[in-house]
Amino acid sequence: SYFDGELCSVTEDPPPAAPYGYDWVGTPVIANPSTPLGPATAVTIPVTNTLQRQLASLELTKLITGPAPGLGLVNGQFDFVLNCGADGSFTASIVVVGGVSNKVTVGGLPVGASCSLSEPGRAAAPPGYEWEAPVIAPSSVVIPAQGMVGSATVTNPLKRLLSALSISKAIGGAANGVAKVNASFAFQLD
């Protein structure tokens, strides 16, 4: 106990372990009183400890699948959004040249955050091809512990556009000969 008129000072022992995904930073800020305790007057001494979020990374891989002739024609930028709710939203882009897979590491992500991954923008499909829906695995990631790198893969299937071809067969010549034609004709496309 303390006596009226006594000047006191507060110190803090080391704090308990920080919650998962956080670190204690700096030293505690203690607002010690500069006046002695007064007669029967309670004194409040604020002590502030600061938590800081730990950060980690996510390696994002871009894969392109589909017919070989079209793969080599894929060139351009693919854009991604990592939506971590209250922990923020993060963006990244990957450039693909000649359909070759590529990677990017997104850093500065809050440890323990649960994030959904989406691909809102992609390079134009080559002429004669179209993109099918991207396959995102996993579509939701939990950012790993500090110093660790999580991973996700976004695969874009490329599909060849198909066209309809209609062939019309006409037979000319003598009218009575044309009427007697009863045959099947075969065609080959090259």
Side-chain angles (χ1 to χ4, degrees):
S1 68
Y2 296 98
F3 299 100
D4 286 343
E6 187 175 11
L7 189 61
C8 64
S9 175
V10 173
T11 59
E12 182 180 63
D13 292 337
Y20 174 76
Y22 292 86
D23 287 320
W24 294 113
V25 292
T27 56
V29 176
I30 303 172
N32 278 306
S34 58
T35 57
L37 296 173
T41 304
V43 174
T44 301
I45 301 175
V47 178
T48 304
N49 295 76
T50 304
L51 280 174
Q52 181 178 7
R53 193 73 177 262
Q54 294 174 343
L55 302 176
S57 302
L58 178 73
E59 183 179 74
L60 186 57
T61 302
K62 163 56 66 191
L63 298 175
I64 309 291
T65 61
L71 292 179
L73 302 174
V74 175
N75 295 297
Q77 181 171 304
F78 294 78
D79 299 319
F80 305 95
V81 173
L82 198 59
N83 184 343
C84 303
D87 289 314
S89 188
F90 305 85
T91 60
S93 295
I94 296 177
V95 174
V96 171
V97 177
V100 177
S101 298
N102 203 353
K103 297 179 181 185
V104 67
T105 299
V106 183
L109 302 174
V111 168
S114 180
C115 310
S116 63
L117 179 62
S118 64
E119 182 186 57
R122 64 184 67 96
Y129 294 86
E130 68 181 357
W131 293 117
E132 294 186 295
V135 178
I136 302 173
S139 60
S140 181
V141 295
V142 175
I143 304 306
Q146 184 171 348
M148 303 293 289
V149 179
S151 65
T153 300
V154 179
T155 303
N156 290 87
L158 189 62
K159 177 182 172 185
R160 179 88 187 199
L161 292 173
L162 301 176
S163 299
L165 176 64
S166 177
I167 298 176
S168 168
K169 176 69 176 162
I171 300 179
N176 60 353
V178 171
K180 295 180 182 180
V181 174
N182 186 11
S184 295
F185 294 86
F187 299 93
Q188 182 176 342
L189 294 174
D190 291 327

